[in-house]
Amino acid sequence: MNAEETDEMILSPMNLFDIFDHSQTHSRRGWIKHFMFGSVGSTSGIALMLAEVTEAAQPGPGRLRLRVTDYPALESVGGSVQLQFSSIYDPLTINRVSNTEFATLDSICTHAGCTVNKFIAADGYMLCPCHGSQFDARGQVVSGPAEENMKAFPTTYDAAAGTIEVTVPDLGLNINSIQVQSKTGGVTRFKLVFQATAFATYEVHYQGQLGGSSVLTPFSRTPTGNATQTSLVANDSAAFTVYVDASGDRGFFNVSMKLTSI
Ligand code: FES
Protein backbone atom coordinates (compact mmCIF):
# COMPACT_ATOMS: atom_id res chain seq x y z
CA MET A 1 0.00 0.00 0.00
CA ASN A 2 1.90 2.98 -1.20
CA ALA A 3 1.21 6.57 -1.89
CA GLU A 4 -2.11 8.26 -1.69
CA GLU A 5 -3.87 5.84 0.51
CA THR A 6 -7.32 7.22 0.82
CA ASP A 7 -8.74 5.69 3.94
CA GLU A 8 -9.89 8.80 5.64
CA MET A 9 -11.30 8.99 9.06
CA ILE A 10 -13.44 11.69 10.41
CA LEU A 11 -12.65 13.00 13.81
CA SER A 12 -14.75 14.83 16.25
CA PRO A 13 -13.32 17.24 18.75
CA MET A 14 -11.40 16.25 21.82
CA ASN A 15 -9.56 13.18 22.91
CA LEU A 16 -6.51 11.80 21.30
CA PHE A 17 -6.28 10.15 18.00
CA ASP A 18 -3.89 7.34 17.38
CA ILE A 19 -2.61 7.74 13.94
CA PHE A 20 -0.01 5.06 13.67
CA ASP A 21 0.18 1.56 12.49
CA HIS A 22 -2.60 1.73 10.16
CA SER A 23 -1.02 -1.03 8.25
CA GLN A 24 -1.98 -3.33 5.47
CA THR A 25 -4.83 -5.00 7.25
CA HIS A 26 -6.46 -2.02 8.74
CA SER A 27 -9.94 -0.96 8.01
CA ARG A 28 -11.71 2.13 9.05
CA ARG A 29 -13.07 0.23 11.99
CA GLY A 30 -9.59 -1.06 12.69
CA TRP A 31 -8.43 2.47 13.03
CA ILE A 32 -11.17 3.13 15.45
CA LYS A 33 -10.08 0.16 17.49
CA HIS A 34 -6.61 1.58 17.70
CA PHE A 35 -7.93 4.68 19.21
CA MET A 36 -6.99 5.24 22.79
CA PHE A 37 -8.81 7.73 24.82
CA GLY A 38 -6.68 9.80 27.08
CA SER A 39 -6.15 13.21 28.44
CA VAL A 40 -3.06 15.24 28.06
CA GLY A 41 -2.14 18.41 29.85
CA SER A 42 -1.09 21.39 27.86
CA THR A 43 2.34 22.78 27.65
CA SER A 44 2.43 26.33 28.89
CA GLY A 45 0.43 28.65 26.72
CA ILE A 46 -0.88 25.94 24.49
CA ALA A 47 -4.42 24.70 24.29
CA LEU A 48 -4.39 21.21 22.96
CA MET A 49 -6.67 20.54 20.09
CA LEU A 50 -7.35 16.86 20.29
CA ALA A 51 -9.60 14.65 18.36
CA GLU A 52 -11.53 11.53 19.08
CA VAL A 53 -11.73 8.84 16.48
CA THR A 54 -15.37 8.13 16.05
CA GLU A 55 -17.62 7.52 13.14
CA ALA A 56 -19.52 10.68 13.85
CA ALA A 57 -18.68 12.91 10.95
CA GLN A 58 -19.95 16.15 12.31
CA PRO A 59 -17.44 18.50 13.84
CA GLY A 60 -18.61 19.90 17.14
CA PRO A 61 -17.67 22.88 19.22
CA GLY A 62 -14.07 23.60 20.00
CA ARG A 63 -12.85 22.70 23.43
CA LEU A 64 -9.90 24.11 25.26
CA ARG A 65 -8.19 21.98 27.82
CA LEU A 66 -5.88 23.88 30.11
CA ARG A 67 -3.66 22.71 32.90
CA VAL A 68 -4.24 24.88 35.95
CA THR A 69 -0.58 24.87 36.94
CA ASP A 70 0.27 26.54 33.63
CA TYR A 71 -1.64 29.59 34.86
CA PRO A 72 -0.51 30.26 38.45
CA ALA A 73 -3.25 32.82 39.09
CA LEU A 74 -5.80 30.05 38.73
CA GLU A 75 -4.28 28.01 41.51
CA SER A 76 -5.97 30.29 44.06
CA VAL A 77 -9.68 30.97 44.52
CA GLY A 78 -10.36 34.43 43.13
CA GLY A 79 -7.60 34.09 40.56
CA SER A 80 -8.29 35.26 37.03
CA VAL A 81 -6.57 35.12 33.66
CA GLN A 82 -7.41 36.46 30.26
CA LEU A 83 -6.34 34.38 27.30
CA GLN A 84 -5.97 35.80 23.84
CA PHE A 85 -6.09 33.28 21.04
CA SER A 86 -6.60 35.55 18.06
CA SER A 87 -5.82 39.18 17.44
CA ILE A 88 -9.32 39.84 16.15
CA TYR A 89 -11.33 38.26 18.95
CA ASP A 90 -11.83 39.38 22.50
CA PRO A 91 -9.97 37.32 25.07
CA LEU A 92 -11.56 34.67 27.20
CA THR A 93 -11.60 35.37 30.92
CA ILE A 94 -11.23 32.38 33.22
CA ASN A 95 -11.98 32.92 36.89
CA ARG A 96 -11.52 30.49 39.74
CA VAL A 97 -14.78 30.82 41.62
CA SER A 98 -14.11 28.18 44.29
CA ASN A 99 -11.85 25.22 44.88
CA THR A 100 -13.94 23.19 42.47
CA GLU A 101 -15.51 25.71 40.13
CA PHE A 102 -14.13 27.82 37.30
CA ALA A 103 -16.06 30.26 35.13
CA THR A 104 -15.12 31.16 31.56
CA LEU A 105 -16.51 34.36 30.05
CA ASP A 106 -16.19 36.02 26.68
CA SER A 107 -14.93 39.32 28.22
CA ILE A 108 -17.39 41.43 26.24
CA CYS A 109 -19.36 43.97 28.21
CA THR A 110 -23.07 43.62 27.61
CA HIS A 111 -23.56 47.39 27.82
CA ALA A 112 -21.71 48.57 24.74
CA GLY A 113 -19.18 45.91 23.88
CA CYS A 114 -15.99 47.02 25.61
CA THR A 115 -13.56 44.42 26.92
CA VAL A 116 -14.14 43.85 30.63
CA ASN A 117 -11.06 43.64 32.86
CA LYS A 118 -10.16 40.41 34.57
CA PHE A 119 -11.53 39.62 38.04
CA ILE A 120 -9.82 41.32 40.96
CA ALA A 121 -10.38 39.31 44.13
CA ALA A 122 -9.76 42.30 46.42
CA ASP A 123 -12.51 44.25 44.64
CA GLY A 124 -14.83 41.30 44.25
CA TYR A 125 -15.73 42.15 40.67
CA MET A 126 -14.58 42.63 37.09
CA LEU A 127 -14.70 46.22 35.95
CA CYS A 128 -15.63 47.45 32.52
CA PRO A 129 -13.32 50.41 31.88
CA CYS A 130 -15.71 52.18 29.54
CA HIS A 131 -18.67 53.10 31.75
CA GLY A 132 -17.94 51.33 34.99
CA SER A 133 -20.17 48.25 34.88
CA GLN A 134 -19.16 45.59 37.38
CA PHE A 135 -19.57 41.83 37.07
CA ASP A 136 -18.95 39.08 39.59
CA ALA A 137 -16.65 36.14 39.00
CA ARG A 138 -19.39 34.26 37.15
CA GLY A 139 -20.04 37.24 34.89
CA GLN A 140 -23.26 38.30 36.55
CA VAL A 141 -24.01 41.99 36.77
CA VAL A 142 -23.10 43.58 40.08
CA SER A 143 -23.78 47.12 38.96
CA GLY A 144 -24.62 48.82 35.65
CA PRO A 145 -25.11 50.46 33.35
CA ALA A 146 -24.88 46.92 31.93
CA GLU A 147 -28.12 45.05 32.56
CA GLU A 148 -27.29 41.61 31.19
CA ASN A 149 -24.81 39.08 32.45
CA MET A 150 -21.70 38.33 30.43
CA LYS A 151 -21.72 35.34 28.13
CA ALA A 152 -20.35 32.28 29.87
CA PHE A 153 -19.00 29.08 28.31
CA PRO A 154 -19.48 25.63 29.82
CA THR A 155 -16.44 24.90 31.95
CA THR A 156 -15.58 21.73 33.84
CA TYR A 157 -12.74 21.03 36.19
CA ASP A 158 -11.02 17.68 36.52
CA ALA A 159 -9.37 17.94 39.92
CA ALA A 160 -7.47 14.67 39.56
CA ALA A 161 -5.94 15.72 36.26
CA GLY A 162 -5.67 19.37 37.28
CA THR A 163 -7.28 20.47 34.03
CA ILE A 164 -10.08 22.79 33.02
CA GLU A 165 -12.08 22.09 29.91
CA VAL A 166 -13.96 24.91 28.21
CA THR A 167 -16.43 24.43 25.39
CA VAL A 168 -16.53 27.33 22.94
CA PRO A 169 -19.09 26.85 20.18
CA ASP A 170 -17.47 28.88 17.44
CA LEU A 171 -13.84 28.33 18.23
CA GLY A 172 -11.69 26.79 15.50
CA LEU A 173 -10.51 23.79 17.41
CA ASN A 174 -11.84 20.96 15.36
CA ILE A 175 -9.88 18.33 13.56
CA ASN A 176 -11.79 17.50 10.44
CA SER A 177 -9.93 14.53 9.07
CA ILE A 178 -6.67 12.69 8.92
CA GLN A 179 -5.46 10.33 6.25
CA VAL A 180 -2.31 8.61 5.18
CA GLN A 181 -0.80 10.62 2.41
CA SER A 182 2.13 8.38 1.50
CA LYS A 183 4.49 5.73 2.78
CA THR A 184 8.13 5.90 1.80
CA GLY A 185 10.57 3.52 3.39
CA GLY A 186 9.82 3.56 7.08
CA VAL A 187 8.24 6.99 7.04
CA THR A 188 4.53 7.54 6.84
CA ARG A 189 3.24 10.96 5.91
CA PHE A 190 -0.12 11.97 7.30
CA LYS A 191 -2.42 14.62 5.98
CA LEU A 192 -4.15 16.44 8.79
CA VAL A 193 -7.03 18.82 8.16
CA PHE A 194 -8.26 21.01 10.93
CA GLN A 195 -10.57 23.92 11.42
CA ALA A 196 -8.76 27.09 12.41
CA THR A 197 -9.82 30.43 13.82
CA ALA A 198 -8.65 33.54 11.99
CA PHE A 199 -5.35 34.97 13.21
CA ALA A 200 -4.78 32.24 15.74
CA THR A 201 -1.43 30.42 15.73
CA TYR A 202 -1.26 26.65 15.48
CA GLU A 203 1.41 24.05 16.12
CA VAL A 204 1.59 20.29 15.81
CA HIS A 205 2.89 18.23 18.72
CA TYR A 206 3.83 14.59 18.96
CA GLN A 207 3.79 12.14 21.85
CA GLY A 208 5.29 8.69 21.71
CA GLN A 209 2.78 7.51 24.24
CA LEU A 210 -0.14 8.86 26.14
CA GLY A 211 0.99 10.82 29.13
CA GLY A 212 4.47 11.16 27.71
CA SER A 213 6.11 14.44 26.97
CA SER A 214 4.91 16.29 23.94
CA VAL A 215 7.37 17.64 21.40
CA LEU A 216 6.89 20.29 18.78
CA THR A 217 6.73 18.62 15.39
CA PRO A 218 7.54 20.28 12.07
CA PHE A 219 5.12 19.96 9.20
CA SER A 220 4.78 20.81 5.53
CA ARG A 221 1.94 22.71 3.91
CA THR A 222 2.31 20.69 0.72
CA PRO A 223 1.98 16.94 0.15
CA THR A 224 5.61 16.45 -0.88
CA GLY A 225 7.41 19.41 0.70
CA ASN A 226 9.94 19.01 3.48
CA ALA A 227 8.38 19.09 6.93
CA THR A 228 10.21 22.12 8.29
CA GLN A 229 7.47 24.54 9.33
CA THR A 230 6.75 24.69 13.05
CA SER A 231 3.80 27.04 13.30
CA LEU A 232 0.98 28.36 11.19
CA VAL A 233 -0.97 31.58 11.54
CA ALA A 234 -4.42 31.13 10.08
CA ASN A 235 -5.22 33.96 7.69
CA ASP A 236 -8.90 33.14 7.83
CA SER A 237 -11.37 31.07 9.78
CA ALA A 238 -11.25 28.04 7.56
CA ALA A 239 -9.96 24.49 7.21
CA PHE A 240 -6.18 24.17 6.98
CA THR A 241 -4.09 21.22 5.90
CA VAL A 242 -0.67 20.19 7.16
CA TYR A 243 1.47 17.14 6.47
CA VAL A 244 3.47 15.43 9.19
CA ASP A 245 5.92 12.54 9.02
CA ALA A 246 6.03 9.61 11.42
CA SER A 247 8.64 6.91 11.61
CA GLY A 248 7.68 4.98 14.75
CA ASP A 249 5.18 2.22 15.20
CA ARG A 250 2.89 4.21 17.30
CA GLY A 251 2.32 7.68 18.62
CA PHE A 252 -0.02 10.57 18.85
CA PHE A 253 -0.18 13.88 17.11
CA ASN A 254 -2.27 16.77 18.22
CA VAL A 255 -2.80 20.21 16.82
CA SER A 256 -2.43 22.99 19.34
CA MET A 257 -3.65 26.54 19.31
CA LYS A 258 -1.41 29.06 20.98
CA LEU A 259 -2.85 31.11 23.78
CA THR A 260 -1.39 34.31 25.08
CA SER A 261 -2.04 35.23 28.66
CA ILE A 262 -2.71 38.97 28.90
FE1 FES B 1 -19.07 48.39 29.57
FE2 FES B 1 -20.37 50.52 28.93
S1 FES B 1 -19.34 49.18 27.61
S2 FES B 1 -20.04 49.75 30.88
Side-chain angles (χ1 to χ4, degrees):
M1 195 175 307
N2 291 316
E4 296 299 319
E5 186 172 354
T6 56
D7 182 25
E8 182 168 0
M9 57 182 192
I10 304 300
L11 307 174
S12 68
M14 288 312 293
N15 312 333
L16 280 176
F17 53 98
D18 176 350
I19 58 170
F20 283 9
D21 191 29
H22 161 242
S23 54
Q24 326 287 351
T25 57
H26 81 276
S27 63
R28 182 187 170 104
R29 189 162 291 278
W31 264 86
I32 293 166
K33 273 189 190 168
H34 281 126
F35 166 71
M36 292 176 63
F37 182 89
S39 66
V40 179
S42 69
T43 57
S44 183
I46 297 289
L48 293 182
M49 177 166 66
L50 308 172
E52 179 179 12
V53 180
T54 73
E55 292 187 280
Q58 300 305 316
R63 293 185 202 171
L64 300 176
R65 184 176 293 177
L66 307 172
R67 191 163 55 198
V68 172
T69 53
D70 288 337
Y71 301 92
L74 295 181
E75 295 188 84
S76 306
V77 173
S80 179
V81 296
Q82 288 189 312
L83 300 178
Q84 189 89 49
F85 56 91
S86 167
S87 58
I88 63 170
Y89 290 101
D90 282 283
L92 295 175
T93 300
I94 302 178
N95 299 328
R96 185 160 197 161
V97 177
S98 70
N99 280 330
T100 56
E101 181 188 355
F102 291 81
T104 305
L105 307 158
D106 71 358
S107 304
I108 301 171
C109 183
T110 54
H111 175 233
C114 290
T115 300
V116 176
N117 295 341
K118 65 178 108 173
F119 184 78
I120 304 295
D123 297 337
Y125 56 80
M126 295 179 285
L127 176 68
C128 177
C130 290
H131 312 101
S133 290
Q134 299 174 1
F135 302 86
D136 70 13
R138 294 186 178 87
Q140 297 178 334
V141 176
V142 173
S143 66
E147 296 180 346
E148 293 182 21
N149 299 333
M150 293 168 68
K151 183 177 178 182
F153 300 109
T155 305
T156 58
Y157 174 49
D158 182 337
T163 55
I164 311 165
E165 187 174 291
V166 184
T167 301
V168 186
D170 50 358
L171 186 64
L173 268 180
N174 293 331
I175 299 202
N176 295 351
S177 70
I178 186 170
Q179 68 185 121
V180 172
Q181 177 69 28
S182 64
K183 291 187 176 183
T184 307
V187 176
T188 302
R189 171 157 284 199
F190 291 94
K191 176 184 179 182
L192 179 62
V193 183
F194 62 95
Q195 190 67 34
T197 294
F199 300 104
T201 300
Y202 294 86
E203 297 177 345
V204 180
H205 291 251
Y206 167 79
Q207 287 177 288
Q209 57 186 11
L210 284 177
S213 57
S214 185
V215 294
L216 184 66
T217 299
F219 56 83
S220 171
R221 295 299 312 282
T222 63
T224 57
N226 290 332
T228 55
Q229 190 169 335
T230 53
S231 67
L232 175 158
V233 179
N235 53 13
D236 202 357
S237 289
F240 283 79
T241 300
V242 298
Y243 299 86
V244 293
D245 295 326
S247 55
D249 292 335
R250 187 177 184 80
F252 303 89
F253 284 115
N254 59 66
V255 178
S256 310
M257 184 179 72
K258 266 196 164 173
L259 298 175
T260 306
S261 190
I262 57 176

